[in-house]
């Protein structure tokens, strides 16, 4: 059986360098390009890449995906910074290349995907829900893509269930003290040396609280999800948002 020809963009970065090693170690894949900032994207075409794993930064990801989709190279994207406008633009590109697939995964680790799923399930049963994400201090974006997605899923579940707005009597204080509001769910971002990627979802009701916590303690936690994404995206045209769609969770 022929091996899946994979390129990694952002190959010298923290997660990109781990992805290079994971693709090299996968028996059913061949690493055909490992590109860093400033390298020519045409290298991927010359190398016959079928899938590009995109792990760069929010300022680079759109240009890279525009190129990939135009050349029929499928994308597995971990880079953050997704807005509705960016997603609409990507969908437009994919409409023009109907056989190409792109997976955007706010988080590739199974524990983080399950945290999002459990938070969505629990959200309607509690009056209050807040998200705390904790990351290494080299991270350029806040809140994390995972926290933003978690808050959206929580808000969606609460809207569907007709939940009342969250109780909060705060009337005075410092700007930012209550975190950022993502779909009216407070999200708090901690940046601390020693951490990698962590998240807590705090839920509170009458006389009880529930805390759902996930910790990625090594970049290896993201690798099975990246490899699964690469295997599945080649037969899944269009945009897939969230690794859960490839995990058969229900
Ligand atoms: N979805 C997930 O599970 C997951 C997990 C970890 C990190 N991330 C995200 O992945 C991204 C990278 O994270 P990181 O910690 O590795 O950052 P990093 O800064 O260590 O690595 C990014 C790398 O991309 C390179 N780069 C920038 N523009 C480029 C371009 N146009 N072409 C090729 N390379 C380019 C940079 O030079 C750098 O080496 C971030 O957005 C981060 O939030 C996602
Ligand atoms: O280290 C990072 O940067 C991470 N980014 C993603 C996010 O913003 O959610 C996933 C976790 C690690």
């Amino acid at each position: 059986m022929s091996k899946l020809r994979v390129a990694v963009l952002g190959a010298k970065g923290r997660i990109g360098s781990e992805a290079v090693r994971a693709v090299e170690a996968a028996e059913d894949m061949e690493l055909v390009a490992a590109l860093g900032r400033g390298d020519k994207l045409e290298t991927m075409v010359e190398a016959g890449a079928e899938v590009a794993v995109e792990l760069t930064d929010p300022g680079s990801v759109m240009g890279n995906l525009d190129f990939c989709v135009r050349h029929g190279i499928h994308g597995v994207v971990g880079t953050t910074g997704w807005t509705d406008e960016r997603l609409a633009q990507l969908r437009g590109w994919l409409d023009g290349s109907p056989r190409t697939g792109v997976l955007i995964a706010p988080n590739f680790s199974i524990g983080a995907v399950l945290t999002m799923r459990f938070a969505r399930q629990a959200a309607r049963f509690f009056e209050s829900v807040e998200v705390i994400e904790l990351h290494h201090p080299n991270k350029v974006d806040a809140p994390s893509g995972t926290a933003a997605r978690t808050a959206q899923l929580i808000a969606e579940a609460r809207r569907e269930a007709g939940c009342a707005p969250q109780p909060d009597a705060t009337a005075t204080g410092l700007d930012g003290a209550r975190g950022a509001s993502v779909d009216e769910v407070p999200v708090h971002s901690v940046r601390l040396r020693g951490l990698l990627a962590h998240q807590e979802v705090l839920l509170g009701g009458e006389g009880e609280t529930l805390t759902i916590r996930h910790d990625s303690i090594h970049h290896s936690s993201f690798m099975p999800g990246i490899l699964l994404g690469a295997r599945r995206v080649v037969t899944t045209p269009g945009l897939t948002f969230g690794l859960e769609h490839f995990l058969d969770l229900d």
Side-chain angles (χ1 to χ4, degrees):
M1 212 176 69
S2 66
K3 293 189 179 193
L4 187 61
R5 300 175 68 78
V6 180
V8 175
L9 300 175
K12 293 194 178 127
R14 280 176 289 271
I15 183 169
S17 51
E18 189 79 23
V20 163
R21 284 189 287 277
V23 171
E24 281 175 333
E27 287 185 352
D28 58 339
M29 292 183 194
E30 183 180 350
L31 181 75
V32 297
L35 304 187
R37 192 191 288 278
D39 289 343
K40 285 206 172 81
L41 295 174
E42 286 73 16
T43 309
M44 288 191 288
V45 180
E46 288 156 16
E50 296 166 273
V51 180
V53 178
E54 218 291 347
L55 302 164
T56 63
D57 64 40
S60 299
V61 64
M62 293 305 280
N64 286 343
L65 287 180
D66 182 18
F67 179 93
C68 288
V69 173
R70 273 191 289 112
H71 290 84
I73 300 172
H74 307 283
V76 172
V77 183
T79 303
T80 44
W82 290 97
T83 59
D84 289 345
E85 293 70 30
R86 283 181 164 217
L87 291 171
Q89 194 172 14
L90 176 56
R91 280 197 184 93
W93 296 338
L94 285 165
D95 286 347
S97 182
R99 282 205 290 266
T100 309
V102 172
L103 165 69
I104 297 173
N107 202 303
F108 286 111
S109 87
I110 180 72
V113 172
L114 291 175
T115 298
M116 289 186 257
R117 173 61 61 111
F118 298 155
R120 194 190 71 180
Q121 270 184 308
R124 70 189 165 97
F125 297 106
F126 294 85
E127 264 188 90
S128 306
V129 191
E130 306 215 2
V131 177
I132 305 174
E133 55 95 338
L134 312 91
H135 281 80
H136 59 89
N138 303 101
K139 184 167 176 58
V140 295
D141 56 314
S144 70
T146 308
R149 183 65 185 148
T150 306
Q152 284 163 359
L153 292 169
I154 289 168
E156 230 171 75
R158 291 173 70 85
R159 265 194 306 273
E160 278 166 21
C163 293
Q166 299 206 42
D168 183 358
T170 310
T172 64
L174 288 178
D175 279 355
R178 294 287 294 114
S181 174
V182 178
D183 271 6
E184 296 179 17
V185 176
V187 178
H188 310 269
S189 296
V190 175
R191 296 290 174 265
L192 200 72
R193 187 65 70 203
L195 296 182
L196 176 53
H198 316 258
Q199 177 164 286
E200 285 188 1
V201 181
L202 311 179
L203 302 114
E206 196 61 47
E208 64 174 335
T209 67
L210 169 66
T211 302
I212 307 169
R213 180 174 172 113
H214 173 255
D215 299 275
S216 267
I217 53 179
H218 193 273
H219 279 101
S220 54
S221 61
F222 305 116
M223 296 307 124
I226 289 178
L227 299 182
L228 173 70
R231 288 179 187 117
R232 293 286 300 270
V233 78
V234 292
T235 54
T236 314
L239 178 62
T240 302
F241 194 89
L243 186 69
E244 61 274 20
H245 297 289
F246 289 169
L247 288 174
D248 307 324
L249 288 180
D250 295 316

